[in-house]
Amino acid sequence: GQLRVALTQSPTDWPVTQYYLSVLLNNGQEAEAKDVKDALLNGFSDEPRAVTLAAMTEYRLGEVEAARSRLEDQIQNNPDNATALATLALVYQGEGQNQKAVSTMVKAALLSPDSVGPIQGAGRLYARENGPDEVVTWLIGIAKEHPKLAVNSTALAAQIQVQQRKLTEARRLLENIAEENRNDTAIQVEGQLLAAEAEAAASSENWPEARAKAAEAAALQPENLRFALVPVNIYGQEGKYQEALNSLDELESVHGENTAIDLMRARLLTSSEGQEEAWSYLKRRWQETQDPQLLPILVDLAKAQSPDDVDELTSAWVEAQPESATALLSRAEYQMTSA
């Protein structure tokens, strides 16, 4: 109701219109969505954003050919319409024209080269028909072909290699990005790589190397808690639990209470003082925060430490995250074993 009022009062507030349409379509209110689409085309046919929204709605309603031809006409009249290009790429992909989808999304990326989203979207489309190594090769090719996209493409290629634990190759790729050209994406990937290098050194019990890489990761973006936790994790793996817990206290004083800190503390307590201590701590934090992100670990601890609590916790988990397969499986497992 409120959205409908907002739409009537300011029909050219496109983010509101887009949100309203997605709510209607997600709730199966297709007739109402079609009415809004028709109103956009009748009242605002000279507004590019309105036409793109109408085409996206047609696509969602199954009117694929109408959506495609409307978007293709729009781009012919205005080749620099990045939103229409990105939407057309999704339509092509829905029709199974994956190569066309990829090249169209690259065109959208070239219109906003500083934004990682479009080239990441193009990479995801390419990955639908190709494996990780092929995606890396493709991204490196994009970087060479389109210098404007080189930083983001190279960083994304390196990120895939970090995920595959090809750390030497990832390091080599990141070194291709000059220090002065490093953007947020490149810095994020650098941090992920340093964390993975620290982890690899810890696995080989090369503690000086692990600590050095971890410290580098933490220094990269002092406000980034994920990177700040890397040295804590290395302390824990090294068996230096008190140093790790002291570091966590310092981080909590800077970043405030945080789920990632709670989970790390529970892990450290499990290793240093045993599951009972970790269970007591995490159960108290659950009662204080009701944060469902604590539940996977908490349910595992409850199975060993307090089986009577498993019923309540798995029920709360499913209620908080009804779409989570892990939550549903955990609840089903409890119900089967308690039957």
Side-chain angles (χ1 to χ4, degrees):
Q2 283 179 319
L3 274 173
R4 183 69 185 165
V5 171
L7 189 68
T8 310
Q9 288 174 344
S10 51
T12 56
D13 188 338
W14 305 125
V16 169
T17 308
Q18 183 172 1
Y19 180 64
Y20 182 51
L21 279 166
S22 77
V23 168
L24 292 175
L25 291 161
N26 291 340
N27 289 313
Q29 292 172 263
E30 295 188 353
E32 176 78 0
K34 191 175 183 309
D35 288 346
V36 175
K37 178 208 73 163
D38 291 341
L40 288 172
L41 293 173
N42 292 330
F44 305 100
S45 58
D46 55 345
E47 282 280 359
R49 192 75 187 273
V51 176
T52 304
L53 282 174
M56 191 70 217
T57 306
E58 285 172 328
Y59 175 67
R60 292 279 305 270
L61 290 168
E63 299 166 20
V64 179
E65 282 183 35
R68 180 176 17 84
S69 65
R70 194 179 300 286
L71 289 163
E72 285 174 342
D73 288 348
Q74 201 180 8
I75 289 156
Q76 203 167 357
N77 296 329
N78 179 9
D80 292 346
N81 187 331
T83 311
L85 280 163
T87 307
L88 181 59
L90 295 175
V91 172
Y92 283 147
Q93 185 258 312
E95 289 185 303
Q97 299 190 70
N98 214 56
Q99 277 182 308
K100 244 181 166 179
V102 171
S103 61
T104 304
M105 194 65 97
V106 170
K107 285 178 191 169
L110 285 164
L111 293 170
S112 50
D114 295 336
S115 170
V116 73
I119 192 60
Q120 195 167 32
R124 283 203 192 100
L125 289 170
Y126 191 82
R128 286 176 172 269
E129 293 184 349
N130 297 276
D133 290 343
E134 286 85 2
V135 178
V136 167
T137 304
W138 178 79
L139 283 165
I140 293 168
I142 290 288
K144 286 176 182 162
E145 191 182 340
H146 303 292
K148 287 200 294 185
L149 298 175
V151 174
N152 282 330
S153 298
T154 304
L156 289 170
Q159 186 176 47
I160 293 168
Q161 291 184 321
V162 173
Q163 289 161 353
Q164 291 188 287
R165 289 293 177 262
K166 294 181 175 177
L167 305 185
T168 309
E169 293 93 325
R171 173 60 61 204
R172 204 176 296 130
L173 266 182
L174 281 183
E175 282 167 358
N176 290 332
I177 303 174
E179 196 67 43
E180 64 273 14
N181 293 336
R182 296 206 162 188
N183 61 10
D184 262 0
T185 304
I187 290 166
Q188 287 296 317
V189 176
E190 171 72 22
Q192 290 164 17
L193 174 56
L194 286 165
E197 288 172 333
E199 194 72 41
S203 298
S204 311
E205 296 192 3
N206 181 349
W207 300 115
E209 168 84 355
R211 284 195 297 270
K213 291 287 186 184
E216 227 182 307
L220 201 58
Q221 280 184 325
E223 72 286 357
N224 186 319
L225 179 58
R226 187 177 166 197
F227 295 163
L229 284 167
V230 178
V232 180
N233 188 34
I234 297 301
Y235 273 139
Q237 290 187 52
E238 203 176 347
K240 295 184 172 177
Y241 300 120
Q242 200 50 55
E243 287 96 326
L245 289 164
N246 291 346
S247 296
L248 270 189
D249 290 338
E250 284 174 34
L251 286 179
E252 200 162 54
S253 70
V254 174
H255 294 273
E257 291 183 341
N258 186 284
T259 309
I261 291 175
D262 288 339
L263 291 172
M264 180 67 82
R265 196 185 300 278
R267 271 175 55 195
L268 291 167
L269 288 170
T270 301
S271 302
S272 61
E273 298 181 39
Q275 284 193 341
E276 190 177 343
E277 197 67 34
W279 158 251
S280 300
Y281 166 73
L282 211 55
K283 187 184 181 190
R284 175 171 60 78
R285 291 299 294 139
W286 162 248
Q287 287 166 343
E288 289 167 357
T289 66
Q290 297 289 298
D291 183 346
Q293 292 176 85
L294 300 177
L295 287 168
I297 305 282
L298 194 57
V299 167
D300 278 347
L301 287 167
K303 286 173 188 172
Q305 296 301 314
S306 183
D308 289 349
D309 282 299
V310 175
D311 181 13
E312 185 192 330
L313 291 171
T314 53
S315 176
W317 190 3
V318 168
E319 194 178 328
Q321 297 181 329
E323 303 296 317
S324 163
T326 318
L328 294 166
L329 279 170
S330 191
R331 180 66 182 162
E333 184 189 310
Y334 163 75
Q335 287 171 326
M336 283 167 67
T337 53
S338 63

